[in-house]
Amino acid sequence: KFPVSSSIKRFASRFKDAGFSLYIVGGAIRDYLLGIENDDFDFTTDAEPTEVISLFHHVIPTGIAHGTVTVIFEKQKFEVTTFRSDGSYVDGRHPESVTFIRNLEEDLKRRDFTINAFAADCSTGEIIDLHDGRKDLKNQCIRAIGDPQLRFKEDALRIFRGCRLASKLNFSIEKETLEAMRDLKDNLLLVSMERIRDELFKMVESNQPIIGLTYLKQTSILTLLFPALAKGEGIEQGGMHHQDILSHNFSSCQAAADMHFPLEVRLAALFHDIGKSTTIANKNGVNTFYQHEIVGQKETKKIMSHLKASNEQINTVSLLVREHMFSYKEDWTDSAVRRFINRVGLAYIPLLFQLRLADQKAIHDSIDITMVSELDGRIQKILSAHDALSIRDLAINGNDLMQAGIPKGPRIGQLLNLLLETVLDDPKQNKKEQLLAIAESYQSELGTTT
Ligand code: ATP
Ligand code: MG
């Protein structure tokens, strides 16, 4: 029996009083049976969306074309979907038509995996299991409902969801289901990148990203969707590394998950050595990783943009990849520390340290925080001196330069950058008169060339 909260019972009685039924479905029941916390309730009902809307004051038509609305009830958000039976899928992407039905059984049949097809009656809490989901839960097995080939042809995202679910639950994918995933993976190209991104990010945010990533590799989905990442397979790195590039990227992502680091760090860990595949290939097997991080930044940007990640995410993750090779030594001067802060950006330094620890844990299975904590100490010391660390902190700005007769244009930015270099080297120079004089000498040195 599912423990239905009193608030859900009140919610359900609004449906019941109007002659409709309401069931909890999806991940919440599955996770309850596994003893995992999950407060994300999905409901299904025989009431049509317009009928649901008429029952409550505050309803948001979140996915009304698919029969989904979000009801705000007692300050909670409940997603309610009308039982549906999808028409045929012509393009493997969207059902041609959605017909609403008045039948729970039909609704459960169109769900993806047996362990995702439980329903619980909202008044009694009785768990309905029409697809032997309990048995598969016990065997820790992910199995498509019905014929896996057909089900993945209907909606290829299910292929990716299977890998994601394997990560979340640390389950294995049943043999026929896995074969169908491999056979039909090309259909993933028909699925929108936004949907794939959401599943990939959930996989990376789970406790066991390496499980799903390994399934993506085994089924060649990785090669299909992320060839730049996949090509690290089989390329050995030598040195302290005991794994090929791809396995090391996977292990670093797993290590970041083990240490509960945020999504951006986990993604950066997954991509951090991606550039090495290219730099090694270009050197005809000569083992040099010279500037692989610059290539890595570019490739990471490409993948993150392809995934339609937010600009903030694209920039953060690719910056972390670019900077991950820093190697602090005691002999760094204060200006070297100031340059480091300026290049990485204060906000990203803790994330960069986390990435370093994940990389280290993947190689040595242990971490040594000496280097990052010493560098952190130096950074704190610099910060407490309040020296200029970015153009914003300079004692002059673009307007001051224009007033001094420098024409508006790219030259202004160039000069400000040069002045910052000067000030990072020697903070005492950060005075208006001094900087103007330096700017003028630069200006005459640079002449009219840009
Ligand atoms: P989580 O707890 O991680 O959110 P979930 O199983 O609840 O996992 P959701 O994406 O919230 O995942 O989906 C809710 C339910 O909707 C699933 O349990 C499944 O029954 C059904 N479902 C979601 N996506 C699909 C799909 N592409 N095809 C068929 N059924 C799906
Ligand atoms: Mg859910």
Side-chain angles (χ1 to χ4, degrees), residues 27-28 38 40 42 202:
N38 187 339
D40 173 27
D42 300 301
K202 278 189 187 175

Side-chain angles (χ1 to χ4, degrees), residues 6 9 21 27 30 82 87 101 103 110 114 126 195 199 216 227 238 242 254 266 289 291 298 316-317 329 402 424 430:
S6 50
K9 279 190 178 147
S21 58
R30 175 199 67 217
T82 304
I101 47 173
N103 183 333
R110 67 155 190 96
T114 60
E126 187 207 345
R195 293 178 79 204
E199 297 296 333
L216 292 180
H242 51 273
Q254 181 61 48
R266 298 183 189 201
F289 305 137
Q291 288 205 328
K298 270 195 201 144
T316 304
V317 174
K329 295 196 189 60
M402 286 188 274
L424 288 174
N430 196 15

